[in-house]
């Protein structure tokens, strides 16, 4: 479920901020950030674009938006786990939230719980629920899966042929595609000038950070795909950076040559990953 803040007046957001911050200069900076004018269509040095100054919502893509979402939705957390929330009804419901993106977990279906969440978000807090990204689902149903924070959660058949299914948690297809896009950019034509050792150090730092986040659950297959992809990209990088086609030392395969250069393999346990410089 995703909640939209486009309909929340700035004064209402700032009221939540004032409950935690009393420094007037900081509050003024946050107000200025919220009310900064937006230029649409043209702009630039001529200043011909249409200027507008919103009085509602948070800046799209602004770094302050997740912070304000956490401050505002903190009160939804409080009422959900409060005396009148679902746990007080005897339901084993759990709320997992990150900024404006959250999941409510429980066994079975309960229409009262759905109505409670919708009424508190829309009627009480004045938010707009993004219906396109919101759904009620049963994860054990055939073909059902949930994407949340870059991970996919679904039940798969046992790999050893036993009769039960297990909950598989792995990086989502979107997360893998985003990582490929970033690796393609880091090994693109505009980085041909960079010496290979320096490029490997930069890639290692990025890959270790990505693998650290996606180390939960069943990530081995995803790590293998990224390992293969980054080596293919480096192979292309080496072949196009000179008029003479690159060849590794005699008797050494390209993959082994990249290993000698220190390129990490994500399939290894984190303790075996070499530290970057």
């Amino acid at each position: 479920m995703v909640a939209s803040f486009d309909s929340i007046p700035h004064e209402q957001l700032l009221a939540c901020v004032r409950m935690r911050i009393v420094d007037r200069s900081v509050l003024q900076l946050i107000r200025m950030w919220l009310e900064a004018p937006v230029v649409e269509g043209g702009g630039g040095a001529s200043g011909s674009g249409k200027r507008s100054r919103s009085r509602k919502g948070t800046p799209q893509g602004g770094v302050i938006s997740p912070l304000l979402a956490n401050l505002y939705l903190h009160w939804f957390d409080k009422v959900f786990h409060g005396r009148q929330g679902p746990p007080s009804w005897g339901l084993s419901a759990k709320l997992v939230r990150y900024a404006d993106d959250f999941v409510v977990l429980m066994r079975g279906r309960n229409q009262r719980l759905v109505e409670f969440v919708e009424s508190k978000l829309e009627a009480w807090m004045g938010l707009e629920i993004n219906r396109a990204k919101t759904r009620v689902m049963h994860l054990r149903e055939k073909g059902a899966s949930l994407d949340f924070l870059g991970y996919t959660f679904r039940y798969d058949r046992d790999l050893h042929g036993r009769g039960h299914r297990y909950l598989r948690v792995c990086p989502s297809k979107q997360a893998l595609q985003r990582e490929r896009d970033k690796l393609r950019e880091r090994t693109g034509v505009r980085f041909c000038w960079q010496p290979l050792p320096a490029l490997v150090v930069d890639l290692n730092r990025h890959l270790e950070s990505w693998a650290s986040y996606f180390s939960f659950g069943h990530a081995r297959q995803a790590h293998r795909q990224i390992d293969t992809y980054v080596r293919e990209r480096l192979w292309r990088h080496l072949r196009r950076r000179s008029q003479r086609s690159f060849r590794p030392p005699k008797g050494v395969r390209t993959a082994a040559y990249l290993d000698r250069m220190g390129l990490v393999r994500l399939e290894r346990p984190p303790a075996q990953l070499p530290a970057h410089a």
Side-chain angles (χ1 to χ4, degrees), residues 3-39:
S4 173
F5 284 75
D6 293 341
S7 61
I8 302 300
H10 291 165
E11 291 299 331
Q12 194 168 329
L13 289 170
L14 289 170
C16 293
V17 177
R18 283 195 292 269
M19 293 180 182
R20 293 176 175 267
I21 300 175
V22 296
D23 191 320
R24 293 184 180 180
S25 61
V26 175
L27 292 173
Q28 180 61 22
L29 284 173
I30 295 176
R31 179 185 293 276
M32 292 171 60
W33 201 317
L34 287 173
E35 298 179 355
V38 178
V39 180

Side-chain angles (χ1 to χ4, degrees), residues 60-184:
Q60 185 68 26
V63 295
I64 199 174
S65 299
L67 173 62
L68 293 176
N70 278 328
L71 287 174
Y72 195 72
L73 285 172
H74 165 74
W75 299 105
F76 176 67
D77 299 347
K78 295 278 287 186
V79 75
F80 187 94
H81 296 104
R83 295 180 179 179
Q84 299 180 352
S88 66
W89 312 340
L91 297 178
S92 58
K94 295 182 179 180
L95 172 65
V96 182
R97 183 177 65 82
Y98 182 82
D100 61 344
D101 195 1
F102 62 90
V103 174
V104 179
L105 307 172
M106 69 165 296
R107 294 182 181 274
R109 300 177 185 269
N110 189 297
Q111 186 59 30
R112 182 185 175 188
L113 175 61
V114 176
E115 294 174 355
F116 172 85
V117 171
E118 292 181 347
S119 65
K120 290 302 179 184
L121 290 176
E122 295 182 325
W124 183 56
M125 303 188 73
L127 294 168
E128 295 180 1
I129 297 177
N130 190 330
R131 303 292 178 180
K133 298 182 179 179
T134 300
R135 58 177 174 158
V136 179
M137 58 175 298
H138 196 298
L139 199 57
R140 289 187 178 273
E141 291 180 351
K142 185 176 180 180
S145 64
L146 170 66
D147 288 352
F148 186 58
L149 302 183
Y151 279 92
T152 294
F153 301 80
R154 67 173 182 268
Y155 276 92
D156 280 354
R157 292 181 299 175
D158 184 76
L159 297 177
H160 300 285
R162 291 170 291 191
H164 63 273
R165 296 193 300 168
Y166 72 100
L167 180 63
R168 180 177 176 83
V169 184
C170 59
S172 67
K173 293 181 179 179
Q174 294 83 355
L176 285 172
Q177 186 58 50
R178 286 193 297 268
E179 177 62 10
R180 293 190 190 98
D181 293 340
K182 291 179 181 178
L183 292 171
R184 184 185 304 112

